[in-house]
Every structure is written in structure tokens, then in C-alpha cells.
Coordinates of all heavy atoms in Angstrom, one line a residue:
M1 N -23.2 -40.7 -33.7 CA -23.6 -39.4 -33.2 C -24.5 -38.7 -34.1 O -24.3 -38.6 -35.3 CB -22.3 -38.6 -33.1 CG -22.5 -37.3 -32.6 SD -21.1 -36.2 -32.5 CE -19.7 -37.2 -32.3
S2 N -25.6 -38.2 -33.6 CA -26.6 -37.5 -34.4 C -26.2 -36.1 -34.7 O -25.2 -35.5 -34.0 CB -27.9 -37.5 -33.7 OG -27.9 -36.7 -32.6
S3 N -26.8 -35.4 -35.6 CA -26.5 -34.0 -35.9 C -26.9 -33.1 -34.8 O -26.2 -32.1 -34.5 CB -27.1 -33.6 -37.2 OG -28.4 -33.6 -37.0
S4 N -27.9 -33.5 -34.0 CA -28.3 -32.6 -32.9 C -27.2 -32.7 -31.8 O -27.0 -31.7 -31.1 CB -29.7 -33.0 -32.3 OG -29.6 -34.3 -31.7
D5 N -26.6 -33.9 -31.5 CA -25.5 -33.9 -30.6 C -24.3 -33.0 -31.0 O -23.8 -32.3 -30.2 CB -25.0 -35.4 -30.5 CG -25.9 -36.3 -29.7 OD1 -26.8 -35.7 -29.0 OD2 -25.8 -37.5 -29.8
S6 N -24.0 -33.1 -32.3 CA -22.9 -32.2 -32.7 C -23.2 -30.8 -32.6 O -22.4 -30.0 -32.1 CB -22.7 -32.6 -34.2 OG -21.7 -31.7 -34.8
S7 N -24.4 -30.4 -32.9 CA -24.8 -29.0 -32.8 C -24.8 -28.5 -31.3 O -24.5 -27.4 -31.0 CB -26.1 -28.6 -33.5 OG -27.2 -29.2 -32.9
R8 N -25.3 -29.5 -30.4 CA -25.3 -29.1 -29.0 C -23.9 -28.9 -28.5 O -23.6 -28.0 -27.7 CB -26.0 -30.3 -28.2 CG -26.2 -29.9 -26.8 CD -27.0 -31.0 -26.0 NE -28.1 -31.4 -26.7 CZ -28.7 -32.7 -26.7 NH1 -28.0 -33.7 -26.1 NH2 -29.8 -33.0 -27.4
R9 N -23.0 -29.8 -28.9 CA -21.6 -29.7 -28.4 C -21.0 -28.4 -29.0 O -20.3 -27.7 -28.3 CB -20.7 -30.8 -29.0 CG -20.9 -32.0 -28.2 CD -19.9 -33.1 -28.5 NE -20.2 -34.3 -27.7 CZ -20.2 -35.5 -28.2 NH1 -19.8 -35.7 -29.4 NH2 -20.5 -36.5 -27.5
S10 N -21.3 -28.0 -30.2 CA -20.8 -26.8 -30.8 C -21.3 -25.6 -30.0 O -20.6 -24.7 -29.7 CB -21.2 -26.8 -32.2 OG -21.0 -25.5 -32.8
F11 N -22.6 -25.7 -29.6 CA -23.2 -24.6 -28.9 C -22.5 -24.4 -27.5 O -22.2 -23.3 -27.1 CB -24.7 -24.8 -28.7 CG -25.4 -23.8 -27.8 CD1 -25.6 -22.6 -28.2 CD2 -25.7 -24.2 -26.5 CE1 -26.2 -21.6 -27.3 CE2 -26.3 -23.3 -25.6 CZ -26.6 -22.0 -26.1
I12 N -22.3 -25.6 -26.8 CA -21.7 -25.5 -25.5 C -20.3 -25.0 -25.5 O -19.9 -24.1 -24.7 CB -21.7 -26.9 -24.8 CG1 -23.1 -27.3 -24.5 CG2 -20.8 -27.0 -23.6 CD1 -23.3 -28.8 -24.1
K13 N -19.5 -25.4 -26.6 CA -18.2 -24.8 -26.7 C -18.2 -23.3 -27.0 O -17.5 -22.6 -26.4 CB -17.5 -25.5 -28.0 CG -16.9 -26.8 -27.7 CD -16.2 -27.3 -28.9 CE -15.7 -28.7 -28.7 NZ -15.1 -29.2 -29.9
S14 N -19.1 -22.9 -27.8 CA -19.2 -21.4 -28.1 C -19.6 -20.6 -26.8 O -19.1 -19.6 -26.6 CB -20.1 -21.1 -29.3 OG -21.4 -21.5 -29.0
V15 N -20.5 -21.1 -26.0 CA -20.9 -20.5 -24.8 C -19.7 -20.4 -23.8 O -19.4 -19.4 -23.2 CB -22.1 -21.2 -24.1 CG1 -22.3 -20.7 -22.7 CG2 -23.3 -21.0 -24.9
G16 N -18.9 -21.5 -23.8 CA -17.7 -21.5 -22.9 C -16.7 -20.4 -23.3 O -16.1 -19.7 -22.5
V17 N -16.5 -20.3 -24.6 CA -15.6 -19.3 -25.1 C -16.0 -17.9 -24.8 O -15.3 -17.0 -24.4 CB -15.4 -19.5 -26.7 CG1 -14.6 -18.3 -27.3 CG2 -14.6 -20.8 -27.0
V18 N -17.3 -17.7 -25.0 CA -17.9 -16.3 -24.7 C -17.7 -16.0 -23.2 O -17.3 -14.9 -22.8 CB -19.3 -16.2 -25.2 CG1 -20.0 -15.0 -24.6 CG2 -19.4 -16.3 -26.7
A19 N -18.0 -17.0 -22.4 CA -17.9 -16.8 -20.9 C -16.5 -16.5 -20.5 O -16.2 -15.6 -19.7 CB -18.5 -18.0 -20.2
A20 N -15.5 -17.2 -21.1 CA -14.1 -17.0 -20.8 C -13.7 -15.7 -21.2 O -13.0 -15.0 -20.5 CB -13.3 -18.1 -21.4
A21 N -14.1 -15.2 -22.4 CA -13.7 -13.9 -22.9 C -14.3 -12.8 -22.0 O -13.6 -11.8 -21.7 CB -14.2 -13.8 -24.3
A22 N -15.5 -13.0 -21.6 CA -16.1 -12.0 -20.7 C -15.5 -11.9 -19.4 O -15.2 -10.8 -18.9 CB -17.6 -12.3 -20.5
T23 N -15.1 -13.1 -18.8 CA -14.4 -13.1 -17.5 C -13.0 -12.4 -17.6 O -12.6 -11.6 -16.8 CB -14.2 -14.6 -17.1 OG1 -15.5 -15.1 -17.0 CG2 -13.6 -14.6 -15.7
C24 N -12.3 -12.8 -18.7 CA -10.9 -12.2 -18.9 C -11.0 -10.7 -19.1 O -10.2 -9.9 -18.6 CB -10.2 -12.9 -20.0 SG -9.7 -14.5 -19.7
G25 N -12.0 -10.3 -19.9 CA -12.2 -8.8 -20.2 C -12.4 -8.1 -18.9 O -11.9 -7.0 -18.7
A26 N -13.3 -8.6 -18.0 CA -13.6 -7.9 -16.8 C -12.4 -7.8 -15.9 O -12.1 -6.9 -15.3 CB -14.8 -8.6 -16.0
A27 N -11.7 -8.9 -15.8 CA -10.5 -9.0 -14.9 C -9.4 -8.0 -15.5 O -8.7 -7.3 -14.7 CB -9.8 -10.4 -14.9
G28 N -9.2 -8.0 -16.8 CA -8.3 -7.0 -17.4 C -8.6 -5.6 -17.1 O -7.7 -4.8 -16.7
A29 N -9.9 -5.3 -17.1 CA -10.3 -3.9 -16.9 C -10.0 -3.5 -15.4 O -9.5 -2.5 -15.1 CB -11.8 -3.7 -17.1
K30 N -10.2 -4.5 -14.5 CA -10.0 -4.2 -13.1 C -8.5 -4.1 -12.8 O -8.1 -3.2 -12.1 CB -10.5 -5.3 -12.2 CG -12.0 -5.3 -12.0 CD -12.5 -6.3 -11.2 CE -14.0 -6.4 -11.1 NZ -14.6 -7.5 -10.5
A31 N -7.6 -4.9 -13.5 CA -6.2 -4.8 -13.3 C -5.7 -3.4 -13.7 O -4.8 -2.8 -13.1 CB -5.5 -5.9 -14.0
Q32 N -6.3 -2.9 -14.8 CA -5.8 -1.6 -15.3 C -6.2 -0.5 -14.4 O -5.6 0.5 -14.3 CB -6.4 -1.3 -16.7 CG -5.7 -2.2 -17.7 CD -6.2 -1.9 -19.1 OE1 -7.3 -1.5 -19.3 NE2 -5.5 -2.3 -20.1
E33 N -7.4 -0.7 -13.7 CA -7.9 0.4 -12.8 C -7.1 0.4 -11.5 O -7.1 1.4 -10.8 CB -9.4 0.2 -12.5 CG -10.2 0.4 -13.8 CD -11.7 -0.1 -13.5 OE1 -12.0 -0.4 -12.3 OE2 -12.4 -0.2 -14.5
Y34 N -6.5 -0.7 -11.1 CA -5.9 -0.8 -9.8 C -4.4 -0.1 -9.9 O -3.6 -0.6 -10.6 CB -5.7 -2.2 -9.4 CG -5.0 -2.4 -8.1 CD1 -5.6 -1.9 -6.9 CD2 -3.8 -3.1 -8.0 CE1 -4.9 -2.0 -5.7 CE2 -3.1 -3.2 -6.8 CZ -3.7 -2.7 -5.6 OH -3.1 -2.8 -4.4
K35 N -4.3 0.9 -9.2 CA -3.0 1.7 -9.2 C -2.6 1.9 -7.8 O -2.9 2.9 -7.2 CB -3.1 3.0 -10.0 CG -3.5 2.8 -11.4 CD -3.6 4.0 -12.2 CE -3.9 3.8 -13.6 NZ -4.3 5.0 -14.4
P36 N -1.8 0.9 -7.2 CA -1.5 1.1 -5.8 C -0.7 2.3 -5.5 O -0.7 2.8 -4.4 CB -0.7 -0.2 -5.5 CG -0.3 -0.8 -6.8 CD -1.3 -0.3 -7.8
Q37 N 0.1 2.8 -6.5 CA 0.9 3.9 -6.2 C 0.1 5.2 -6.0 O 0.6 6.2 -5.5 CB 1.9 4.2 -7.3 CG 1.4 4.6 -8.7 CD 0.9 3.3 -9.5 OE1 0.7 2.3 -9.0 NE2 0.9 3.6 -10.8
E38 N -1.2 5.1 -6.3 CA -2.1 6.3 -6.2 C -2.9 6.2 -4.9 O -3.8 7.0 -4.6 CB -3.0 6.4 -7.4 CG -2.3 6.8 -8.6 CD -3.2 7.1 -9.8 OE1 -4.4 7.0 -9.6 OE2 -2.7 7.4 -10.9
Q39 N -2.6 5.2 -4.1 CA -3.3 5.1 -2.8 C -2.9 6.4 -1.9 O -1.8 6.8 -2.0 CB -2.8 3.9 -2.0 CG -3.4 2.6 -2.6 CD -3.0 1.4 -1.8 OE1 -2.0 1.4 -1.2 NE2 -3.8 0.3 -2.0
K40 N -3.9 6.8 -1.2 CA -3.7 8.0 -0.4 C -3.0 7.7 0.9 O -3.1 6.7 1.4 CB -5.1 8.7 -0.2 CG -5.8 9.0 -1.4 CD -6.6 10.2 -1.2 CE -7.1 10.7 -2.6 NZ -8.0 11.7 -2.6
K41 N -2.3 8.7 1.3 CA -1.6 8.6 2.6 C -2.6 9.0 3.7 O -3.6 9.7 3.4 CB -0.4 9.5 2.7 CG 0.7 9.2 1.7 CD 1.9 10.2 1.9 CE 3.0 9.9 1.0 NZ 4.1 10.8 1.2
L42 N -2.3 8.5 4.9 CA -3.1 9.0 6.1 C -2.9 10.5 6.4 O -1.8 11.0 6.1 CB -2.7 8.2 7.3 CG -3.1 6.7 7.4 CD1 -2.5 6.1 8.6 CD2 -4.6 6.6 7.5
T43 N -3.9 11.1 6.8 CA -3.7 12.5 7.3 C -2.9 12.4 8.6 O -2.8 11.4 9.3 CB -5.0 13.2 7.6 OG1 -5.7 12.5 8.7 CG2 -5.9 13.2 6.3
Q44 N -2.2 13.5 9.0 CA -1.4 13.5 10.2 C -2.4 13.4 11.4 O -2.0 12.7 12.4 CB -0.7 14.9 10.3 CG 0.4 15.0 9.3 CD 1.3 16.2 9.4 OE1 1.1 16.9 10.4 NE2 2.3 16.3 8.5
A45 N -3.6 13.8 11.4 CA -4.5 13.7 12.4 C -4.9 12.2 12.6 O -5.0 11.7 13.7 CB -5.8 14.5 12.2
A46 N -5.2 11.5 11.4 CA -5.6 10.1 11.5 C -4.5 9.2 12.0 O -4.7 8.3 12.7 CB -6.0 9.6 10.1
A47 N -3.2 9.6 11.7 CA -2.1 8.8 12.2 C -1.7 9.2 13.6 O -0.8 8.7 14.2 CB -0.9 9.0 11.2
R48 N -2.4 10.3 14.1 CA -2.0 10.8 15.5 C -0.5 11.2 15.5 O 0.2 11.0 16.4 CB -2.2 9.8 16.6 CG -3.6 9.2 16.6 CD -4.6 10.1 17.4 NE -6.0 9.7 17.3 CZ -6.5 8.8 18.1 NH1 -5.9 8.3 19.0 NH2 -7.8 8.5 17.9
Y49 N -0.2 12.0 14.4 CA 1.2 12.4 14.3 C 1.5 13.5 15.3 O 0.6 14.4 15.5 CB 1.5 13.0 12.8 CG 2.8 13.6 12.6 CD1 4.0 12.9 12.5 CD2 2.9 15.0 12.6 CE1 5.2 13.5 12.4 CE2 4.1 15.6 12.4 CZ 5.2 14.9 12.3 OH 6.4 15.5 12.2
Q50 N 2.6 13.5 15.8 CA 3.1 14.6 16.7 C 4.5 15.1 16.3 O 5.2 14.3 15.7 CB 3.1 14.2 18.2 CG 4.0 13.0 18.4 CD 3.8 12.4 19.8 OE1 2.7 12.3 20.3 NE2 4.9 12.0 20.5
D51 N 4.8 16.3 16.5 CA 6.1 16.9 16.0 C 7.2 16.7 17.0 O 8.2 17.3 16.9 CB 5.9 18.3 15.6 CG 5.5 19.2 16.7 OD1 5.3 18.7 17.9 OD2 5.3 20.4 16.5
H52 N 7.0 15.8 18.0 CA 8.1 15.5 18.9 C 8.1 14.0 19.1 O 7.1 13.3 18.9 CB 7.8 16.2 20.3 CG 6.5 16.0 20.8 ND1 5.4 16.7 20.5 CD2 6.1 15.1 21.7 CE1 4.3 16.3 21.2 NE2 4.7 15.3 22.0
P53 N 9.3 13.4 19.6 CA 9.4 12.0 19.7 C 8.5 11.4 20.8 O 8.0 12.1 21.7 CB 10.9 11.8 20.1 CG 11.5 13.1 20.1 CD 10.5 14.1 20.0
N54 N 8.4 10.1 20.8 CA 7.6 9.4 21.8 C 8.7 8.5 22.5 O 9.0 7.5 22.1 CB 6.6 8.4 21.2 CG 5.8 7.7 22.3 OD1 5.6 8.2 23.4 ND2 5.3 6.5 21.9
G55 N 9.2 9.1 23.6 CA 10.4 8.4 24.2 C 11.6 8.4 23.3 O 12.0 9.5 22.8
M56 N 12.1 7.2 23.1 CA 13.2 7.0 22.2 C 12.8 6.9 20.7 O 13.6 6.8 19.8 CB 14.1 5.8 22.6 CG 14.7 5.9 24.0 SD 16.0 7.2 24.1 CE 17.2 6.4 23.1
D57 N 11.5 6.7 20.5 CA 11.0 6.4 19.1 C 10.8 7.7 18.4 O 10.0 8.6 18.9 CB 9.7 5.7 19.2 CG 9.9 4.3 19.9 OD1 11.1 3.9 19.9 OD2 8.9 3.7 20.3
A58 N 11.3 7.8 17.2 CA 11.1 9.0 16.3 C 11.1 8.7 14.9 O 11.7 7.6 14.5 CB 12.2 10.1 16.6
C59 N 10.5 9.5 14.0 CA 10.4 9.3 12.6 C 11.8 9.0 12.0 O 11.9 8.2 11.1 CB 9.8 10.4 11.9 SG 8.1 10.7 12.4
G60 N 12.8 9.7 12.5 CA 14.2 9.5 11.9 C 14.7 8.1 11.9 O 15.5 7.6 11.1
T61 N 14.1 7.2 12.8 CA 14.6 5.8 13.0 C 13.5 4.9 12.4 O 13.6 3.7 12.5 CB 14.9 5.5 14.4 OG1 13.7 5.7 15.2 CG2 16.1 6.3 14.9
C62 N 12.4 5.4 11.9 CA 11.3 4.6 11.4 C 11.6 4.3 9.9 O 12.0 5.2 9.2 CB 10.0 5.3 11.5 SG 8.6 4.5 10.8
P63 N 11.4 3.0 9.4 CA 11.7 2.7 8.1 C 10.7 3.4 7.0 O 11.1 3.4 5.9 CB 11.5 1.2 8.0 CG 10.6 0.8 9.2 CD 10.9 1.9 10.2
Y64 N 9.7 4.0 7.5 CA 8.7 4.7 6.6 C 9.1 6.1 6.4 O 8.6 6.7 5.5 CB 7.3 4.6 7.1 CG 6.8 3.2 7.3 CD1 6.3 2.7 8.4 CD2 6.7 2.4 6.1 CE1 5.9 1.4 8.5 CE2 6.2 1.1 6.2 CZ 5.8 0.6 7.4 OH 5.3 -0.7 7.5
F65 N 10.1 6.6 7.1 CA 10.6 8.0 6.9 C 11.3 8.1 5.6 O 12.1 7.3 5.3 CB 11.4 8.4 8.1 CG 11.8 9.8 8.1 CD1 10.9 10.8 8.3 CD2 13.2 10.2 7.8 CE1 11.3 12.2 8.2 CE2 13.6 11.5 7.7 CZ 12.7 12.5 7.9
Q66 N 11.1 9.2 4.9 CA 11.8 9.5 3.7 C 12.5 10.9 3.9 O 11.9 11.9 4.0 CB 10.8 9.6 2.5 CG 10.2 8.2 2.2 CD 9.3 8.3 1.0 OE1 8.4 9.2 0.9 NE2 9.4 7.4 0.1
F67 N 13.9 10.8 3.8 CA 14.6 12.0 4.0 C 14.3 13.0 2.8 O 14.1 12.5 1.7 CB 16.1 11.6 3.9 CG 17.0 12.8 4.2 CD1 17.3 13.2 5.5 CD2 17.6 13.5 3.1 CE1 18.1 14.3 5.7 CE2 18.4 14.6 3.3 CZ 18.6 15.0 4.7
P68 N 14.2 14.3 3.0 CA 14.4 15.0 4.3 C 13.2 15.1 5.2 O 13.4 15.3 6.4 CB 15.0 16.3 3.9 CG 14.3 16.6 2.6 CD 14.0 15.3 1.9
K69 N 12.0 15.2 4.7 CA 10.8 15.5 5.5 C 9.5 14.9 5.1 O 8.5 15.6 5.0 CB 10.7 17.0 5.7 CG 10.6 17.8 4.4 CD 10.4 19.2 4.7 CE 10.1 20.0 3.3 NZ 9.9 21.3 3.5
S70 N 9.5 13.6 4.7 CA 8.2 13.0 4.3 C 8.2 11.6 4.8 O 9.2 11.0 5.3 CB 8.0 13.1 2.8 OG 8.9 12.3 2.1
C71 N 7.0 11.0 4.6 CA 6.8 9.6 5.1 C 6.0 8.9 4.0 O 5.2 9.4 3.3 CB 5.9 9.7 6.4 SG 5.3 8.1 7.0
V72 N 6.2 7.6 4.0 CA 5.5 6.7 3.0 C 4.1 6.6 3.4 O 3.2 6.5 2.5 CB 6.1 5.3 3.0 CG1 5.3 4.4 2.1 CG2 7.6 5.3 2.6
L73 N 3.7 6.7 4.7 CA 2.4 6.4 5.1 C 1.5 7.6 5.4 O 0.3 7.6 5.4 CB 2.3 5.5 6.4 CG 3.1 4.2 6.2 CD1 3.1 3.5 7.6 CD2 2.5 3.4 5.2
V74 N 2.2 8.7 5.9 CA 1.5 9.9 6.4 C 1.8 11.1 5.5 O 3.0 11.3 5.1 CB 1.9 10.2 7.9 CG1 1.2 11.4 8.4 CG2 1.7 8.9 8.7
E75 N 0.8 11.9 5.2 CA 1.0 13.0 4.3 C 1.6 14.2 5.0 O 1.6 14.3 6.2 CB -0.4 13.4 3.7 CG -1.4 13.9 4.7 CD -2.8 14.2 4.1 OE1 -3.0 13.7 3.0 OE2 -3.5 15.0 4.7
G76 N 2.1 15.2 4.2 CA 2.5 16.4 4.7 C 4.0 16.3 5.2 O 4.6 15.3 4.9
D77 N 4.4 17.5 5.7 CA 5.8 17.5 6.2 C 5.9 16.7 7.4 O 5.2 16.9 8.4 CB 6.2 19.0 6.5 CG 6.5 19.8 5.2 OD1 6.4 19.2 4.1 OD2 6.7 21.0 5.3
I78 N 7.0 15.9 7.5 CA 7.2 15.0 8.6 C 8.6 15.3 9.2 O 9.6 15.3 8.4 CB 7.2 13.5 8.2 CG1 5.7 13.2 7.6 CG2 7.5 12.6 9.4 CD1 4.6 13.3 8.6
S79 N 8.7 15.6 10.5 CA 10.0 15.9 11.1 C 10.7 14.6 11.5 O 10.0 13.7 11.9 CB 9.7 16.7 12.4 OG 10.9 16.8 13.1
P80 N 12.0 14.6 11.3 CA 12.7 13.4 11.7 C 12.6 13.2 13.2 O 12.9 12.1 13.7 CB 14.2 13.6 11.3 CG 14.2 15.1 10.9 CD 12.9 15.5 10.6
T81 N 12.2 14.2 14.0 CA 12.0 14.1 15.4 C 10.6 13.9 15.8 O 10.2 14.0 16.9 CB 12.7 15.3 16.1 OG1 12.0 16.5 15.7 CG2 14.2 15.4 15.9
G82 N 9.7 13.7 14.8 CA 8.3 13.5 15.1 C 8.0 12.0 15.4 O 8.9 11.2 15.5
W83 N 6.7 11.7 15.5 CA 6.3 10.3 15.8 C 4.8 10.2 15.4 O 4.1 11.2 15.5 CB 6.6 10.1 17.2 CG 6.2 8.7 17.7 CD1 6.9 7.5 17.7 CD2 4.9 8.3 18.3 NE1 6.2 6.5 18.2 CE2 5.0 6.9 18.5 CE3 3.8 9.0 18.5 CZ2 3.9 6.2 19.1 CZ3 2.7 8.3 19.1 CH2 2.8 6.9 19.4
C84 N 4.4 9.0 15.0 CA 3.0 8.7 14.9 C 2.8 7.2 15.4 O 3.7 6.5 15.6 CB 2.5 9.0 13.5 SG 2.7 7.5 12.4
R85 N 1.5 6.8 15.4 CA 1.1 5.5 15.9 C 1.5 4.4 15.0 O 1.4 3.3 15.4 CB -0.4 5.5 16.2 CG -0.7 6.6 17.2 CD -2.1 6.4 17.6 NE -2.1 5.5 18.7 CZ -3.1 5.3 19.5 NH1 -4.2 6.0 19.4 NH2 -3.1 4.4 20.5
M86 N 1.9 4.7 13.7 CA 2.4 3.7 12.8 C 3.9 3.4 13.0 O 4.5 2.6 12.3 CB 2.2 4.1 11.4 CG 1.0 3.4 10.8 SD -0.5 3.8 11.6 CE -0.6 5.5 11.1
F87 N 4.5 4.1 14.0 CA 6.0 3.9 14.1 C 6.3 2.4 14.3 O 5.6 1.7 15.0 CB 6.5 4.6 15.4 CG 7.9 4.4 15.7 CD1 8.9 5.1 15.1 CD2 8.3 3.4 16.5 CE1 10.2 4.9 15.3 CE2 9.6 3.1 16.8 CZ 10.6 3.8 16.2
T88 N 7.4 2.0 13.6 CA 7.9 0.7 13.8 C 9.4 0.7 13.8 O 10.0 1.6 13.1 CB 7.4 -0.3 12.8 OG1 7.9 -1.6 13.1 CG2 7.7 0.1 11.4
S89 N 10.1 -0.2 14.4 CA 11.5 -0.3 14.3 C 11.9 -1.4 13.3 O 13.1 -1.6 13.0 CB 12.1 -0.6 15.6 OG 11.6 -1.8 16.2
F90 N 10.9 -2.2 12.8 CA 11.2 -3.2 11.8 C 11.1 -2.7 10.4 O 10.3 -1.9 10.1 CB 10.2 -4.4 11.9 CG 10.4 -5.2 13.2 CD1 9.5 -5.0 14.3 CD2 11.4 -6.1 13.3 CE1 9.7 -5.8 15.4 CE2 11.6 -6.9 14.4 CZ 10.7 -6.7 15.4
S91 N 12.0 -3.2 9.5 CA 11.9 -2.8 8.1 C 10.8 -3.5 7.5 O 10.5 -4.6 7.7 CB 13.2 -3.2 7.4 OG 13.0 -3.1 6.0
P92 N 10.0 -2.8 6.6 CA 8.9 -3.4 5.9 C 9.4 -4.6 5.0 O 8.6 -5.5 4.6 CB 8.3 -2.3 5.1 CG 8.9 -1.1 5.5 CD 10.1 -1.4 6.3
L93 N 10.7 -4.5 4.7 CA 11.2 -5.6 3.8 C 11.7 -6.8 4.6 O 12.1 -7.8 4.1 CB 12.4 -5.0 3.0 CG 12.1 -3.8 2.1 CD1 13.4 -3.3 1.5 CD2 11.0 -4.2 1.1
D94 N 11.7 -6.6 5.9 CA 12.3 -7.7 6.8 C 11.1 -8.6 7.3 O 10.8 -8.6 8.5 CB 13.0 -7.1 7.9 CG 13.7 -8.1 8.8 OD1 14.0 -9.2 8.3 OD2 14.1 -7.7 9.9
R95 N 10.5 -9.3 6.4 CA 9.4 -10.2 6.7 C 9.8 -11.7 6.6 O 10.2 -12.1 5.6 CB 8.2 -9.9 5.9 CG 7.6 -8.5 6.2 CD 6.3 -8.4 5.5 NE 5.7 -7.2 5.9 CZ 5.1 -6.3 5.1 NH1 4.9 -6.7 3.8 NH2 4.5 -5.2 5.5
G96 N 9.4 -12.4 7.6 CA 9.6 -13.8 7.5 C 11.0 -14.3 7.6 O 11.3 -15.5 7.4
A97 N 11.9 -13.4 7.9 CA 13.3 -13.8 7.9 C 13.8 -14.3 9.3 O 14.9 -14.8 9.5 CB 14.2 -12.7 7.4
H98 N 12.9 -14.1 10.3 CA 13.3 -14.4 11.7 C 13.0 -15.9 11.9 O 12.0 -16.4 11.5 CB 12.4 -13.5 12.7 CG 12.7 -12.1 12.4 ND1 13.9 -11.5 12.7 CD2 11.9 -11.2 11.8 CE1 13.8 -10.2 12.4 NE2 12.6 -10.0 11.9
Q99 N 13.8 -16.5 12.8 CA 13.6 -17.9 13.1 C 13.3 -18.1 14.6 O 13.6 -17.3 15.4 CB 14.9 -18.7 12.8 CG 15.2 -18.7 11.3 CD 16.5 -19.5 11.1 OE1 17.0 -20.1 11.9 NE2 16.9 -19.5 9.8
Ligands
LIG1 S1 6.6 7.3 12.9 FE1 4.8 7.5 11.5 S2 5.1 9.6 10.5 FE2 7.0 9.0 11.4 S3 8.1 8.0 9.6 FE3 7.1 6.4 10.9 S4 5.1 6.0 9.9 FE4 5.9 8.0 9.2

């Protein structure tokens, strides 16, 4: 092996280390910036919220409702007898358990 082969390998290794460090640094910064708990809720208008039920469906039976008067998805005061287009009767935790 010549000395130029050795120095070329050394150079390639150092470039790889620098590239890996740069990639990890960028990913680390993005992970720190991502704060899902700070995601905004929908406005009541965007969710087409109404302060009365839609037939038998109402916020009080929706899994996104939070007692006494708020919602995980929609901002502002939410009535247990209200309703919006995100209404569901399935629990968000109940995924993939059906056969
Ligand atoms: S119906 Fe809409 S506003 Fe009411 S709890 Fe469910 S997601 Fe929230």
C-alpha cells in the first residue's frame, strides 16, 4: 500500500465522520423544535361546531371531549350537548383491535 492510498483512506474516513456529524446535528435540532403538544386546535368555525347535538351524536359522547367544557381538537368552550364534524364514537386509542 502506498502512502497516497493511506492518506486517501484517511481523507475519506474523515469526510464520512463530518457528514455523519452534520446529519445528526440537523436531525437533533429538528427533534428539539418539534413540539406536538403545541399544535393548535381547530377554530369552532373550521370544525363547523354547533352548540346543539346532531341527532343522537353530541360532544358528551365523543372521545375528544374533555370534561367539563373543552375538546382535544377544537378550541374554546365546548358544550357536552354540542357537536362538530370531527365527531366520532370510536376511541382514538381503539385502533387495530377489531377483527
Ligand atoms: S364532537 Fe367535535 S367538538 Fe365535540 S368533542 Fe368531538 S371533536 Fe370535540
Side-chain angles (χ1 to χ4, degrees):
M1 178 185 331
S2 71
S3 67
S4 69
D5 285 344
S6 175
S7 64
R8 189 178 307 145
R9 283 193 184 136
S10 170
F11 173 74
I12 291 170
K13 278 184 186 173
S14 63
V15 168
V17 168
V18 169
T23 304
C24 290
K30 284 180 184 169
Q32 287 179 341
E33 292 167 11
Y34 179 65
K35 296 177 179 173
Q37 67 274 22
E38 292 185 2
Q39 287 181 338
K40 298 212 170 171
K41 295 181 180 182
L42 286 172
T43 63
Q44 292 186 1
R48 306 274 173 90
Y49 173 78
Q50 60 191 39
D51 60 2
H52 54 276
N54 182 30
M56 297 292 291
D57 299 338
C59 295
T61 60
C62 175
Y64 296 121
F65 183 72
Q66 295 181 310
F67 185 81
K69 56 178 185 174
S70 66
C71 171
V72 174
L73 303 179
V74 181
E75 67 184 17
D77 285 355
I78 301 295
S79 167
T81 58
W83 178 88
C84 89
R85 300 189 86 167
M86 257 64 67
F87 175 86
T88 182
S89 56
F90 288 103
S91 165
L93 303 176
D94 187 21
R95 291 192 175 137
H98 302 288
Q99 295 182 6

